[in-house]
Amino acid sequence: MNLHHLLAIVVLVGLCFSSSAQKAYDVVKYVGKGGALSVSFDYADGYPEASELTLSEAGKTVKMQAEGGEMNFQGKLADKPVQVIVALDSYAEAPATVEVTVTKGKDETKLTLKKKP
C-alpha cells in the first residue's frame, strides 16, 4: 500500500465521521412573558420530538421535553405540577408566533411566544 492509498483511506474515514453529526431539523427559538411567567421554546422544525421548553417563574426554572409527537410538555415548577400545551401544527412551517397554555395547579395562563430573529 503506497502513501496515496493510505491518504485516500484516511480522508474517506474522516468524511464518514464528519457527516454523521448533521441534524435532520432546524431549531426555531420562541420567547414570551406574562406577569412573572417566562417561556422559552426551542422548536425542532422537522423533528418535533426533539423540541424543548423552559418555563421560569419567581427564580424557579424547569426544562421539559416534548412528549411523543405532540406539543405537550409536563413537569414540576416550585413543587407544583405544570403542563404546557403549544398550539402548533408540528408538520407545518414554523410560524412567526405560537400560542401556549400554561396550567400550573388550578391556574391557567395563555401566552403568545414570538420567534427570535
Side-chain angles (χ1 to χ4, degrees), residues 9-82:
I9 291 170
V10 170
V11 169
L12 287 173
V13 169
L15 287 174
C16 290
F17 284 112
S18 68
S19 65
S20 65
Q22 293 177 347
K23 291 183 180 177
Y25 59 89
D26 293 322
V27 175
V28 181
K29 296 185 177 284
Y30 293 89
V31 292
K33 284 187 175 188
L37 205 58
S38 178
V39 180
S40 173
F41 175 49
D42 292 344
Y43 172 56
D45 191 10
Y47 187 60
E49 292 85 0
S51 297
E52 292 183 343
L53 188 134
T54 304
L55 185 64
S56 300
E57 182 180 47
K60 307 272 188 207
T61 301
V62 62
K63 191 175 221 178
M64 300 173 273
Q65 289 285 135
E67 295 186 6
E70 302 297 318
M71 293 290 97
N72 184 10
F73 300 83
Q74 294 185 19
K76 285 195 174 213
L77 184 63
D79 294 327
K80 289 188 177 180
V82 63

